[in-house]
C-alpha cells in the first residue's frame, strides 16, 4: 500500500518522521491554504456609497483592505469579520492566492464590482502563493481549479509535481486521455497514487484498447507490490502477455461484496471447476467456459450461438461429436466469420450452402450435392483423387444409366449393393429369372435400377424377404400390375391392383394400385366404375396426376362431370402452367360438348378465378372471350380480370365493352365499342386482332345501316358511325358511305319529328363526307366507285329533301313569331316599345330566316355536282322553288325591319 | 377404349423421348419377331409420334391418363446407396487440453476485467 506521507516533488515514498524528501530534498509539506481572510471581499461603507474591498494581507490582528485604485485601509480583524461579506462567483478555491486570483477574474469580467488596481491583486497573490512549499502547492491546485495553468510556472514547483496535479485535475474532469498524458510525464517508479487514479477511470481503459495499453505501461512498475496495480495491469495487458489467473483470487477478495461470491467464482476459474452458482451475466467467454465444463460433466448447459461461438474449435467439435449441440444452431447468425462455414458444415452438413462447403473444404459433401443435382460438370471439377469424388462419380453412372456403370471407385458398402444389382440385371438380360437378395431389398434407392426386370416379371423375391421387406414386395407388385397394363391384360390388372390396394398399409401404394385398376376398368368400357375407383383413391392424400386421370375418365361422360376435377387442379396446384392446362382443358371440353349448352356454374367459377390470375396471351384471350359470351354481366360489371401486357388489357377493354353493350340490350352501347376500337387502332402497339375486329364491326354497321330511310333501327347506329368517322379509322369506302348514310337517316328522322338536323351536324357528317368523296374518289377501289357515287348522290338528295322539310318547319315557326310581332306593333303606343319590337323582328329575319335559304342553296350546289336520278332531280326542283319563295319573302320583309 | 401412347409403348407417363425411342425399338423388334399385325405397328408409330412430338409438356397434358399417377409410388422413400445421407465433416485436429486452458485463460481475463469494474466503483480519486 502507498504511505500517506510522500514527496509531491518527485513522487517518492517518505517516512512518517521525515520533514524533507530523502531523495530530492524538497519539503514534504501538504498543501497550505495560508491566511484565511486574504482574498475575501467585503462591503465597506464610504462617504456617500458602499464599495467592495478585498483583503490583501493580514498580520497582527489587522487586515489590509484594498478599497479603490491603490487606496488601502488597515482594518481591525474583528471589524473585517463583522463587515458584510460579498460572494465572489467562480469555482471553489482553498488558498489565499487562489481567492485573490478568483476575485480578480470575476472583477475583470464584470461579475464583481470594484475599482481596484489589478496589479495590487496580482502582486499580493504571488506573495501569498510562494510563501512556503505548502502555499505553493495550494496555489497550484487553485490555479488548476480556476483553469489557469499559466499561473503554474511562477510557483516554483518541480515539473513532475505540476504534472501530477494536472493529471489529477484531468482525472477529476473524467478526461482519461489527458490524464494519461500527464501521468506519462512522471518518473516511472514514483507517484504510486496513480494506481487508484487509474482504477477510478478503468471503465474507459477497459473499453479502449489503446488507452488500456498506455495505462498498462504506467502500472507495470507497481504490479509486483500492489494488488490493485497487478490486477489492473493484467486486465489491461494484451492477452497472453501477462498471467491473469494469479491475481484473480486475491483481487476478487479485495473487490469482494458481502456474499463472498466474487472469490468463489474466481476460485472456480483458477481451478478449472464449475462454480456452485452460475457466473454473472454479460461474460460470454466465462459462460462458454462454464458450458463446456457442464458438457463434460454431463450436465445441462447453455447452447446458444452467443455462448458457443467463444469456444475454441477443438472443444466445440467435442461437443458437436457428443451430439449435444442442436443442428438448428447452424443456421443462426452470430458465428465468427472465420469459423462459420466450418461450424455449419459440421453441425448440419445437409443444410450448409455450397459456398459454406467450399469455404470449409468439405469436398465429400460437395461431391454428394453435385451427384444429387446431377451436375456432372461441377462433380468433374472436384479433385479426382479424393475418395468421395471417385465414389460419387462412379455412383452417378449408375443413377443416370449412361455408359456402363462399374464398381471401381465405389465405397465398399455401395459396391456390395450395386454388384448384386448388376448380377440381377445380367440375369434378366440373359432371359433368366433373378433371385433378389436382402441387401437389395433393404435399399429402396436401388429398386428403380431393377424396374425393367420387374416389368418383365423376371425378379423373384424369396418369401421370408417379402415378409421382412413388405415395401419392396409392394413395389414389385406395382411393377407387376404395370406390366399387365402394358400387356393390355385389363382383367388381370384390375384384379391384381385391387388385391394390392386391399392389403397395403401405404397410401401412396394403395392410390397407385387403384389408379391402375381404374385405367383397366376404363379400358374395359366401365367409366363409371373407373371413376368410382379413382374417387376412392382421391380420399386422403392425392396427387395432381390422380385428379387428371379422374378428369379424363369423367370427360367420357361429358364435360360437366370432368370440370370439377379440373377446377380442383386449378385450385390446388402450385405450378401456373399446370393450372393453366386445367383451365384450358375445361374450356375445350365444354366447347366440344354438345350435350351441355348451358354454361356450367363450375366452369364459370373456374374461368373467373383463372382470369384473376396471370395467364399466357392465347389462353387469356380465350377466357375473356368465353366470359364475354357466357358471363356478360360479370365481365360488364366489376369482374376482376388480370392483364399482364397492353395487348391483354386491350382485349379485355374491347370485350368488356361488348359485354356491356349486350348486357344493356341496346344499340347505344355500340358507340362505346366504336370508341374502344378507335383508341386501340390509334395505339402505337395495336394488337393484330384490332384491325380484324374493326373491319368486322364496320361491315356489320354497313349492313345494319342500309335500311329504308325512316327505319329508326338505323338511327341508333349513328353515334357509333360518328365515332368511327371522327376517329378517322375507316377505309375510304366506309368512311364516305357510312357518313352519308348516318347523316341521311338522322336528317330523315328529325324531319319526321318536325325538327331539323343542325347545320353543324350536316356539315360534319354530310358535307365533309362529300368533300372527301370529291377529293379522293380516285383512291376508291375500282369496284366501289359506282357504288359510292350512287350512295353519295342518293344520300345528298334524300338529306336535301329531309332538310328542306325541316327548314320549312323552322321557317314556319319563325314567320309565325314574326307575324305576331307585326300584330303587336300595331298596338304599340310608345316609341320605346316600337323600337324593341323592331329589333326583335330584325333578329328573327337576320338570324333565323335569312340563313335558311342559304342552307338549302348549299344542297343545290352539292346536287349540281352529282349524277342525279329522277327522284333527286325532283328534290332539286322542290328545293329551288322553296329557296326562291323564301328569298322573295325575305326581300319583302326586309324594309319592315332595321 | 382410351388410346394411351405411353401405355402402348410400355413406358411410364412423362418418359423422355430417349426412353420412348428405346421402347419403340424394343417393341417394334418384338412385333417383327412375333409376326405382329400392321395395326399394331401403326399404333406403335402413332404412340412414338405422340410422345416424341405432340406432348411437349407432359406435366400440363390434361387429356392423357397417367400411369403412374404418382411417380413417387415407384420411388420408395429412404436413404440408400443412390440417395446417400449428408456426409460428415471430420473435426479439425487440435489439442483439446491446450484449447481448454486457452478458454480458461480467456475466462480468467474476462472475469478479471469484470472484477476491475466492480472494484472501481469502490475507489475514489487520491488526495492531491
Amino acid at each position: 500500500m502507498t504511505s500517506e506521507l510522500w514527496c509531491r516533488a518527485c513522487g517518492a515514498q517518505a517516512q512518517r518522521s521525515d520533514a524533507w524528501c530523502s531523495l530530492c530534498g524538497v519539503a514534504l509539506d501538504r498543501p497550505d491554504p495560508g491566511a484565511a481572510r486574504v482574498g475575501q471581499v467585503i462591503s465597506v461603507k464610504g462617504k456617500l456609497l458602499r464599495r467592495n474591498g478585498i483583503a490583501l494581507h493580514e498580520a497582527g490582528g489587522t487586515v489590509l483592505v484594498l478599497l479603490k485604485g491603490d487606496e488601502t485601509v488597515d482594518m481591525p480583524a474583528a471589524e473585517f469579520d463583522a463587515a458584510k461579506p460579498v460572494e465572489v462567483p467562480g469555482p471553489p478555491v482553498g488558498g489565499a492566492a487562489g481567492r485573490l486570483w478568483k476575485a480578480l477574474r470575476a472583477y475583470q469580467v464584470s461579475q464583481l464590482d470594484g475599482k481596484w488596481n489589478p496589479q495590487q491583486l496580482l502582486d499580493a497573490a504571488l506573495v501569498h502563493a510562494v510563501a512556503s512549499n505548502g502555499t505553493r502547492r495550494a496555489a497550484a491546485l487553485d490555479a488548476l481549479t480556476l483553469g489557469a495553468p499559466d499561473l503554474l510556472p511562477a510557483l516554483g514547483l518541480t515539473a513532475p509535481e505540476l504534472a501530477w496535479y494536472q493529471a489529477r485535475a484531468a482525472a477529476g474532469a473524467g478526461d482519461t486521455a489527458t490524464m494519461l498524458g500527464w501521468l506519462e510525464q512522471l518518473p516511472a517508479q514514483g507517484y504510486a497514487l496513480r494506481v487508484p487514479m487509474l482504477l477510478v477511470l478503468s471503465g474507459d481503459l477497459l473499453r479502449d484498447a489503446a488507452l488500456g495499453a498506455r495505462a498498462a505501461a504506467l502500472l507495470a512498475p507497481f504490479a509486483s507490490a500492489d494488488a490493485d496495480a497487478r490486477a489492473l495491469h493484467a486486465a489491461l495487458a494484451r492477452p497472453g502477455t501477462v498471467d491473469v489467473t494469479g491475481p484473480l483470487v486475491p483481487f476478487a477478495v479485495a473487490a469482494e461484496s458481502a456474499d463472498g461470491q466474487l472469490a468463489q467464482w474466481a476460485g472456480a476459474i483458477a481451478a478449472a471447476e464449475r462454480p456452485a452458482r452460475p457466473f454473472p451475466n454479460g461474460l460470454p467467454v466465462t459462460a462458454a467456459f462454464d458450458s463446456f465444463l457442464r458438457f463434460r460433466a454431463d450436465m445441462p448447459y447453455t447452447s446458444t450461438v452467443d455462448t458457443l461461438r467463444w469456444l475454441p474449435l477443438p472443444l466445440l467439435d467435442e461437443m458437436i461429436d457428443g451430439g449435444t449441440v442442436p443442428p438448428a444452431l447452424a443456421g443462426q447468425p452470430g458465428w465468427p466469420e472465420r469459423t462459420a462455414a466450418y461450424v455449419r458444415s459440421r453441425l448440419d452438413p445437409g443444410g450448409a450452402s455450397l459456398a459454406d462447403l467450399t469455404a470449409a473444404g468439405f469436398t465429400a459433401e460437395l461431391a454428394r450435392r453435385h451427384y444429387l443435382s446431377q451436375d456432372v460438370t461441377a462433380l468433374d471439377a472436384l479433385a479426382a483423387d479424393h475418395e468421395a469424388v471417385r465414389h460419387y462419380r462412379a455412383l452417378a453412372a449408375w443413377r443416370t444409366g449412361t455408359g456402363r456403370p462399374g464398381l471401381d471407385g465405389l465405397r465398399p458398402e455401395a459396391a456390395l449393393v450395386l454388384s448384386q444389382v448388376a448380377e440381377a440385371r445380367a440375369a434378366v438380360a440373359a432371359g433368366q429369372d433373378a433371385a433378389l437378395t436382402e441387401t437389395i431389398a433393404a435399399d429402396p434407392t436401388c429398386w428403380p435400377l431393377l424396374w425393367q426386370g420387374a416389368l418383365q416379371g423376371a425378379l423373384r423375391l424369396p418369401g421370408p424377404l417379402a415378409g421382412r421387406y413388405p415395401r419392396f414386395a409392394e413395389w414389385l407388385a406395382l411393377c407387376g400390375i404395370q406390366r399387365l397394363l402394358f400387356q393390355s391384360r385389363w382383367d388381370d390388372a384390375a384384379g391384381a391392383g385391387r388385391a394390392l390396394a386391399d392389403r397395403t398399409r401405404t397410401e401412396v401404394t394403395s392410390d397407385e394400385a387403384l389408379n391402375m385398376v381404374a385405367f383397366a376398368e376404363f379400358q374395359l368400357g366401365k367409366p363409371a366404375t373407373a371413376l368410382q375407383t379413382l374417387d376412392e383413391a382421391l380420399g386422403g392424400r392425392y396427387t395432381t396426376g390422380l385428379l387428371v386421370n379422374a378428369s379424363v375418365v369423367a370427360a367420357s361422360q361429358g364435360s360437366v362431370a370432368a370440370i370439377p376435377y379440373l377446377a380442383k387442379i386449378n385450385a390446388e396446384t402450385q405450378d401456373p402452367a399446370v393450372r393453366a392446362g386445367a383451365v384450358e382443358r375445361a374450356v375445350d371440353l365444354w366447347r366440344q360438348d354438345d350435350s351441355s349448352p348451358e354454361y356450367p356454374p363450375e366452369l364459370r367459377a373456374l374461368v373467373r378465378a383463372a382470369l384473376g390470375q396471370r395467364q399466357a396471351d392465347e389462353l387469356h384471350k380465350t377466357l375473356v372471350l368465353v366470359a364475354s359470351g357466357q358471363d356478360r354481366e360479370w365481365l360488364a360489371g366489376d369482374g376482376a380480370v388480370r392483364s399482364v401486357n397492353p395487348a391483354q388489357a386491350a382485349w379485355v377493354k374491347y370485350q368488356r365493352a361488348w359485354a356491356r353493350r349486350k348486357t344493356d340490350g341496346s344499340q347505344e352501347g355500340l358507340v362505346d365499342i366504336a370508341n374502344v376500337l378507335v383508341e386501340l387502332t390509334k395505339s402505337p402497339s395495336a394488337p393484330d386482332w384490332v384491325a380484324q375486329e374493326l373491319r368486322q364491326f364496320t361491315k356489320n354497321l354497313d349492313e345494319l345501316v342500309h335500311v329504308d330511310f325512316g327505319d329508326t333501327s338505323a338511327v341508333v347506329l349513328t353515334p357509333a358511325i360518328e365515332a368511327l368517322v371522327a376517329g378517322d379509322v375507316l377505309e375510304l369506302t366506309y368512311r364516305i358511305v357510312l357518313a352519308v348514310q348516318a347523316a341521311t337517316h338522322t336528317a330523315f328522322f328529325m324531319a319526321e319529328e318536325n325538327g331539323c338536323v343542325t347545320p353543324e351536324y350536316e356539315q360534319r357528317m354530310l358535307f365533309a363526307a362529300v368533300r372527301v368523296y370529291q377529293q379522293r374518289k380516285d383512291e376508291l377501289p375500282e369496284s366501289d366507285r359506282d357504288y359510292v357515287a350512287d350512295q353519295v348522290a342518293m344520300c345528298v338528295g334524300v338529306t336535301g329533301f329531309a332538310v328542306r322539310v325541316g327548314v320549312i318547319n323552322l321557317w314556319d315557326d319563325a314567320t309565325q313569331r314574326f307575324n305576331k310581332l307585326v300584330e303587336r306593333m300595331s298596338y304599340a303606343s310608345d316609341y320605346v316599345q316600337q323600337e324593341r319590337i323592331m329589333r326583335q323582328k330584325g333578329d328573327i329575319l337576320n338570324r333565323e330566316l335569312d340563313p335558311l335559304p342559304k342552307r338549302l342553296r348549299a344542297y343545290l350546289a352539292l346536287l349540281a355536282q352529282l349524277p342525279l336520278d329522277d327522284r333527286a332531280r325532283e328534290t332539286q326542283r322542290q328545293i329551288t322553288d322553296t329557296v326562291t319563295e323564301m328569298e322573295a319573302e325575305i326581300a319583302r320583309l326586309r324594309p319592315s325591319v332595321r | 377404349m382410351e388410346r394411351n401412347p405411353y401405355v402402348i409403348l410400355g413406358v411410364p407417363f412423362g418418359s423422355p423421348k430417349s426412353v420412348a425411342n428405346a421402347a419403340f425399338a424394343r417393341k417394334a423388334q418384338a412385333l417383327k419377331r412375333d409376326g405382329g399385325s400392321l395395326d399394331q405397328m401403326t399404333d406403335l408409330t402413332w404412340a412414338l409420334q405422340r410422345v416424341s412430338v405432340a406432348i411437349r409438356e407432359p406435366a400440363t397434358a390434361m387429356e392423357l391418363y397417367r400411369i403412374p399417377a404418382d411417380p413417387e409410388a415407384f420411388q420408395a422413400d429412404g436413404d440408400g446407396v443412390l440417395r446417400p445421407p449428408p456426409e460428415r465433416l471430420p473435426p479439425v485436429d487440435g489439442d483439446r487440453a491446450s484449447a481448454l486452458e486457452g478458454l480458461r485463460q480467456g475466462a480468467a481475463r474476462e472475469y478479471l476485467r469484470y472484477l476491475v469494474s466492480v472494484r472501481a466503483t469502490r475507489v475514489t480519486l487520491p488526495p492531491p
Side-chain angles (χ1 to χ4, degrees), chain A residues 386-405:
Chain A
H386 195 286
E387 164 275 329
V389 176
R390 287 198 304 276
H391 169 72
Y392 284 113
R393 283 185 185 173
L395 212 53
W398 280 90
R399 188 174 160 171
T400 59
T402 55
R404 293 175 61 83

Side-chain angles (χ1 to χ4, degrees), chain A residues 296-311:
Chain A
R296 282 240 171 129
D298 277 337
M299 294 177 67
Y301 65 90
T302 308
S303 54
T304 64
V305 175
D306 286 346
T307 299
L308 299 180
R309 74 190 300 275
W310 297 100
L311 288 172

